[in-house]
Amino acid sequence: MTRIRFPDGFEWGTATAAYQIEGAAYEDGRGLSIWDVFCKQPGRVQNGDHGDVACDHYHRMPDDVALMKSLGIQSYRFSISWPRVLPFGTPQHRRVQQPINERGIDFYSRLVDALLAAGITPCPTLYHWDLPQALQDRGGWAFRDTAAHFADYAGLMYARLGDRVERWITHNEPWVVVTYGHRVGTMAPGIAEADVAARATHHILLSHGLAVERYRAEGQGGAIGITNSNSSYEPAEADGSCDGAVELARDFDTRLYTGAVLGRGYPDSVLRHYEARGVAFPIEDGDMATIAAPTDFVGVNLYSRTRVRPADSGLGFTVAPPTLPLTPMGYERAPHALGDFVRFLSAEYERPKIYITENGVCDNTEPVDGEIDDVDRESLLRGFLEGLHRAIEDGADVRGYYLWSLLDNFEWSFGYSKRFGIVHTDYDTLQRTPKRSAGFYRDVIANNGFD
Ligand code: IFM
């Protein structure tokens, strides 16, 4: 049996996001986000589900922190709900009188204090998809000013939490926001326009850069980075005919986001794709340098692999049918994908410092006699971690791993139908029950690995 031990100081965490767990959507002065609005539009979200209550974490936060402590969690990646702290956007918003919602700020301040008291390092993400609806009404991410609003909101959070928070993430998965929110329209704000998608791409990345510059300008001494979604792209055929498709897929996914942030600019293939549709990225002088403001780490989210082959239209590549068994999310069970992707990223960008900011498994195993025996999750997690460990041994600089997710929660357009938690949430009683995989993860943390 292989003995796997991660490097000393490797950090083990769990991740969640505000809209997916907090609930309390209309309490204590929180403003509307685009997801509050999107969920209430008929047919947008499976079963008409929404995040009004979610896991009720807003009221159960101390218990959830205690739960993490009982599992030995070392760092917690959560997100801040922008409309909870700034119900209408930012204090500088031009047309609306802008109160800061002190009750919202107080919630995150209490969360940070509780985490620190439990010996857990806080790692907030500033944007995990819940844009204030007030900013969407003014154009959302298609509108350049939204980037400046984001930097102001970031500055507010640095000022209020920066004395205790030393690791920040600007955005979660811009690719998802752009693709599903603005190009395909199956996520909030539900737009399906190439022009809006291009504008959103650029303004989200610009907002990241502005927030990083603000972090440095304010003399904050911690670390800041961005989290991108990724897949490990593989050729559908092994004869070389699909290798170009793999590179193209990497352009649209990893290189457009991580590459731009790491100073490589936008891939020509992506710019050409949009140009062919009469769409130009709204790049102004200095933007690309701002986007490439030096970050301290790259956040990697990865759940599976994707096999691709060339296509004559669309993006120039197409996804080939799966050949491996699927999780209930429809993702291939590909344990090698995490290590493979990390190896690719490390080679492509000269060994950046990496945190795995999300990795996990959808497994809908239900309780039987109060026990949740999620063996499929445990075995796939084990495989992901084995692959990650090999990539580290091969030289990748990976500093920590955040498992998605602590709790079963609201899975966006799938509502509550997909369970990613290592802790089961009963959505009737809101009771939390650690699953078999929580025990596995607790032992991984205690041993900094597994046998
Ligand atoms: O639940 C999501 C999360 O919000 C972003 N990354 C992927 C997760 C699982 O689909």
Side-chain angles (χ1 to χ4, degrees), residues 330-379:
Y331 298 160
E332 283 186 287
R333 293 177 59 85
H336 60 281
L338 183 59
D340 282 1
F341 179 78
V342 163
R343 222 175 271 111
F344 156 70
L345 196 75
S346 198
E348 179 88 2
Y349 299 111
E350 289 139 27
R351 206 171 169 264
K353 189 191 285 187
I354 295 170
Y355 283 93
I356 306 304
T357 41
E358 281 182 31
N359 171 248
V361 183
C362 177
D363 173 340
N364 285 346
T365 305
E366 284 293 339
V368 175
D369 298 332
E371 308 260 304
I372 302 108
D373 203 20
D374 54 340
V375 277
D376 286 352
R377 174 177 289 110
E378 181 180 319
S379 72

Side-chain angles (χ1 to χ4, degrees), residues 20 128-129 172-173 303 329 331 358 404 411-412 420:
Q20 294 180 270
H128 199 125
W129 307 353
N172 183 71
E173 300 182 347
Y303 290 86
M329 195 69 182
Y331 298 160
E358 281 182 31
W404 184 274
E411 182 54 33
W412 308 110
F420 277 87

